[in-house]
Amino acid sequence: MLYRLALRNIWRNRRRTLLTLSAMIVSSALLILCLGVFSGMLRDLLATATEQYYGHLVISARGYQDDRDLFRYFSDRESLSFLSHTDVILGTSPRLRNFGLLSHRQDSAPAEVLGILPEREKKVTGLQDALVAGTYLSANDHDGVVLGSGLARRLGVAPGAQLVFVTQAADGSIGNDLLTVRGVFRTGDAGHDNSLALVPLIWLQNILTLPGQLHEIAVRTNQPLNAAVLAERFRKRLPDSLEILDWGQMLPEMREVVASYDVSRMIIVTILYIATGLGILNTFFMSVMERTREFGVLKALGMKPGQIRWMVFLETLFMGCLALVCGVVVGVALSLYMARFGIDLSGTLTPITYAGGTILPRLYAVIEPANIIIPAACLLFVSLLAGFFPARRAARMQPIDAIRED
Amino acid sequence: MALIELKAVSKIYRVGNQQVAAVQDFSLEVETGEFCVLAGPSGSGKTTLLNLIGCLDRPTSGEVWLAGQDVTRAGEKALADIRLNKIGFIFQAYNLIPVLTAAENAEFTLMLMGMAKKNRRQRVLELFSELGLDGLENRKPADLSGGQQQRVAIVRAMVAEPAVILADEPTASLDSQASEELMILMQKLNRERNATFIFSSHDPLVISHARRVIKLLDGHLEQEL
């Protein structure tokens, strides 16, 4: 009967209860949506950094990523077959890199030229999805190039145009050859759009006189936020001459952004729930104060302080649970909508490059368990905390004083 | 041994800087099955005495014994147990729980005692029938008349068969006809079930039904009839 009594007490003042419940539901639902959108932005930021260029993990000759020295290469025959036998690996892409000059008629521009195997690169990065003109490199392409949009604009080229690439080869000679523009990509990251050019791996190996040699193998995993742990796991299986770095080591600023996200999330949760908690506290104090005489009667009938405390506590628990279920349902529904459709802001905002990644001009949400569990658990905790003080007051009332009170 | 024994009980309240004696050096014995009233004008100490007997308040000095147990210095939990198991209360304003039905209100003390739902409902329905409350079990207090609410309060007070039933001005909120009916009903319960009743009242109608009248004035025993 105590449960029934607690449930019915909640609905004594319907309007007040509904208003309080609405506040709890709206706050938790909006928080779930807000954290989902934050996660979406973070995922965009991380994806633009790692899934458009770096990869989640990179295997390279020891020290190569510090100075990208042409001569720190390794053979593509190195035994790295264990990578293909791990289910957390979604793709690996062997790469060779050099810097040189691209020219078209009177125009020239310095460029970072990345030799790739197109079909394998597609499994690691998503530049093929960022094309704004032409096509991506095909598997049997011998002399094609895909350029960043800024670089293409500086050179005044479009798909079909021919470029000359000049660079210093590994044997000390000057390597040069013709390339045909296949496509142009735009990522929103000015650094890549203005300087990156993708070419066939074999073509670049020939130009640099490094047949069968690589500078790095970029790896994509299905656990990007767990990349550091995976790197540690794979590190033991690499030859001494090679090292494996996770995206956090290559992009320390990005790692800080991810870490600060967790802090920001807790700050937002705390601020929102302090406000919500005060609302709940006010409601329950009002409810307890209004029933002072009744608590006196209950005590006179033989109800113990612990039972009174439990009854008031149950009331907050029921309200917290009800708000939690409704809040999670509404929050997940809003997040699902935002995950599926999102809001395109490209008409009013431009991409912002930050910490090695790009904040895209769109709002979309990502459903992550933590973004639901944290608001739900905090709502329940705040409800119970807000119910604690009124429950204690009710339990401590002296029956004679309580009955006398009007 | 008397069911209730008050030994030189005093109760002094502090009002601002002044001390007010509600009851002074008062002694009383009440036997099982008595039907008595504490009568007197407002401020004479009737309610204070009922509160002391009902373990709702503690005396400033003296002792209160209930069914052979000194309750004067009992702890909070022990007092709650005594109130639950040995005392039934009937309040002037009925004080039924508004969100519970009549039957739920009546069986509340049995629920606190841990009695199974089926048994307590059966016991409540028997008393409802005896007190003319048939068919009102599922009504909320707001849907009952004052007399009906007070009868539900009587069932609540009696259902656990306490040692004593204390009624503070039980007819104060009722009209004369309902008051008369209520007193006849309580007399019947006293007679048939040997239930001990102690009232506080200044209503001549209540006083006229009592077998023992304890008249109070300024916290002292003025006269006993």
Side-chain angles (χ1 to χ4, degrees):
Chain A
M1 194 189 286
L2 266 188
Y3 293 86
R4 209 178 315 152
L5 184 57
L7 261 179
R8 289 183 196 170
N9 280 336
I10 291 175
W11 298 109
R12 278 182 179 220
N13 191 327
R14 234 169 252 271
R15 190 182 300 168
R16 188 175 61 203
T17 299
L18 285 175
L19 277 172
T20 308
L21 270 177
S22 313
M24 292 163 83
I25 292 167
V26 168
S27 62
S28 52
L30 286 182
L31 193 58
I32 289 171
L33 175 66
C34 182
L35 294 182
V37 170
F38 268 23
S39 290
M41 285 170 67
L42 191 73
R43 181 169 288 193
D44 271 351
L45 200 62
L46 188 59
T48 52
T50 59
E51 292 167 23
Q52 285 185 354
Y53 181 69
Y54 290 98
H56 299 136
L57 301 167
V58 175
I59 296 168
S60 52
R62 209 165 274 283
Y64 173 73
Q65 298 298 341
D66 295 334
D67 55 10
R68 294 201 164 161
D69 181 353
L70 172 67
F71 298 99
R72 290 185 197 267
Y73 50 79
F74 61 96
S75 168
D76 60 6
R77 292 181 197 157
E78 284 284 1
S79 179
L80 300 172
S81 59
F82 65 88
L83 288 173
S84 55
H85 297 120
T86 311
D87 55 1
V88 294
I89 303 297
L90 299 175
T92 58
S93 176
R95 293 168 168 179
L96 192 68
R97 175 186 287 107
N98 201 15
F99 299 87
L101 198 67
L102 280 172
S103 305
H104 176 67
R105 294 180 186 157
Q106 307 303 316
D107 296 312
S108 61
E112 174 188 351
V113 177
L114 196 63
I116 58 165
L117 295 174
E119 294 310 310
R120 301 220 4 217
E121 183 67 24
K122 279 180 184 175
K123 292 180 179 174
V124 176
T125 58
L127 285 175
Q128 71 277 7
D129 298 325
L131 289 177
V132 290
T135 59
Y136 197 62
L137 296 175
S138 61
N140 52 5
D141 202 328
H142 301 298
D143 59 355
V145 61
V146 176
L147 300 170
S149 56
L151 188 56
R153 193 170 56 250
R154 282 176 70 179
L155 294 169
V157 295
Q162 281 208 317
L163 298 174
V164 177
F165 177 60
V166 181
T167 189
Q168 185 187 354
D171 62 359
S173 64
I174 299 297
N176 61 84
D177 203 350
L178 288 175
L179 288 164
T180 303
V181 177
R182 305 282 185 225
V184 176
F185 63 79
R186 185 186 297 135
T187 62
D189 180 331
H192 297 148
D193 290 348
N194 291 337
S195 67
L196 185 62
L198 304 179
V199 297
L201 177 63
I202 306 293
W203 180 88
L204 189 59
Q205 284 174 332
N206 288 336
I207 291 288
L208 298 180
T209 62
L210 290 173
Q213 303 300 317
L214 304 173
H215 279 131
E216 65 187 30
I217 296 176
V219 180
R220 182 175 183 174
T221 86
N222 59 4
Q223 300 173 9
L225 292 176
N226 210 21
V229 176
L230 294 177
E232 191 56 43
R233 203 169 101 194
F234 297 141
R235 193 161 288 134
K236 297 163 193 159
R237 305 174 72 170
L238 288 176
D240 284 346
S241 58
L242 300 185
E243 65 179 359
I244 182 166
L245 300 177
D246 65 271
W247 60 261
Q249 290 168 295
M250 290 180 288
L251 296 163
E253 306 94 337
M254 181 65 72
R255 187 170 53 195
E256 294 303 314
V257 168
V258 172
S260 69
Y261 167 70
D262 286 335
V263 176
S264 331
R265 179 160 66 179
M266 288 321 294
I267 290 172
I268 290 172
V269 169
T270 306
I271 291 172
L272 196 69
Y273 278 143
I274 284 176
T276 309
L278 287 174
I280 303 169
L281 185 66
N282 177 53
T283 298
F284 278 101
F285 254 124
M286 292 275 286
S287 167
V288 165
M289 300 290 274
E290 281 172 4
R291 289 184 284 156
T292 298
R293 187 184 177 88
E294 194 173 302
F295 287 123
V297 172
L298 291 173
K299 280 196 148 185
L301 294 177
M303 211 166 171
K304 293 186 178 67
Q307 289 172 308
I308 300 245
R309 194 182 299 119
W310 177 236
M311 186 182 73
V312 178
F313 199 65
L314 276 177
E315 291 173 23
T316 55
L317 182 69
F318 286 148
M319 266 186 79
C321 288
L322 186 60
L324 185 152
V325 171
C326 297
V328 166
V329 168
V330 175
V332 169
L334 288 172
S335 300
L336 281 172
Y337 176 84
M338 287 295 284
R340 185 160 180 192
F341 301 106
I343 298 173
D344 183 6
L345 301 172
S346 58
T348 50
L349 295 175
T350 53
I352 300 164
T353 303
Y354 175 61
T358 304
I359 300 173
L360 300 175
R362 64 174 184 168
L363 288 178
Y364 96 108
V366 171
I367 310 279
E368 285 178 358
N371 291 344
I372 298 166
I373 291 167
I374 291 174
C378 287
L379 179 68
L380 200 59
F381 175 73
V382 164
S383 305
L384 296 182
L385 190 69
F388 172 77
F389 297 103
R392 193 174 65 161
R393 186 185 190 280
R396 285 182 172 181
M397 284 176 190
Q398 287 304 309
I400 189 68
D401 299 328
I403 290 171
R404 275 196 198 124
E405 202 166 304
D406 284 325
Chain B
M1 183 189 288
L3 174 66
I4 295 160
E5 248 187 296
L6 270 60
K7 297 179 180 176
V9 165
S10 294
K11 180 67 189 180
I12 296 166
Y13 293 108
R14 181 178 288 276
V15 181
N17 292 329
Q18 289 193 324
Q19 290 191 330
V20 178
V23 174
Q24 269 192 316
D25 199 25
F26 190 92
S27 295
L28 175 72
E29 286 189 6
V30 178
E31 301 293 337
T32 301
E34 281 202 48
F35 195 76
C36 61
V37 63
L38 302 172
S42 293
S44 60
K46 307 184 296 290
T47 302
T48 303
L49 271 178
L50 272 191
N51 290 338
L52 292 172
I53 296 167
C55 300
L56 293 175
D57 209 354
R58 295 173 193 273
T60 311
S61 63
E63 291 176 4
V64 179
W65 288 70
L66 184 64
Q69 183 184 356
D70 182 5
V71 298
T72 318
R73 275 167 284 278
E76 275 292 311
K77 282 186 181 172
L79 287 178
D81 271 334
I82 293 166
R83 289 195 294 266
L84 177 64
N85 294 298
K86 294 185 177 170
I87 301 166
F89 287 97
I90 300 170
F91 301 97
Q92 177 183 332
Y94 330 127
N95 286 337
L96 299 177
I97 310 299
V99 293
L100 297 180
T101 64
E104 287 168 344
N105 264 290
E107 64 186 64
F108 194 77
T109 48
L110 297 180
M111 183 275 293
L112 291 179
M113 288 170 150
M115 185 183 281
K117 187 178 179 180
K118 194 177 167 187
N119 295 347
R120 64 185 193 233
R121 183 53 64 104
Q122 189 181 349
R123 199 189 282 193
V124 162
L125 291 181
E126 279 170 21
L127 275 171
F128 263 49
S129 179
E130 199 172 332
L131 270 68
L133 292 167
D134 283 320
L136 303 179
E137 300 84 12
N138 295 320
R139 290 213 192 159
K140 293 278 177 65
D143 300 325
L144 299 172
S145 69
Q148 288 169 333
Q149 286 190 57
Q150 195 60 302
R151 274 185 279 164
V152 173
I154 292 171
V155 177
R156 181 176 68 182
M158 288 203 58
V159 73
E161 297 176 350
V164 61
I165 294 152
L166 305 175
D168 186 15
E169 307 269 8
T171 59
S173 304
L174 301 176
D175 59 34
S176 57
Q177 191 188 339
S179 299
E180 178 70 27
E181 285 172 7
L182 191 75
M183 290 312 298
I184 291 169
L185 189 68
M186 287 197 283
Q187 266 183 324
K188 179 173 169 258
L189 292 168
N190 167 251
R191 203 169 46 243
E192 292 176 359
R193 292 174 176 259
N194 199 32
T196 308
F197 280 86
I198 303 176
F199 305 94
S200 73
S201 183
H202 54 258
D203 182 353
L205 188 140
V206 174
I207 295 167
S208 69
H209 281 83
R211 288 207 299 273
R212 182 182 175 192
V213 180
I214 300 152
K215 284 195 170 179
L216 300 171
L217 186 66
D218 298 333
H220 294 283
L221 176 66
E222 186 192 27
Q223 190 184 7
E224 188 167 338
L225 303 170

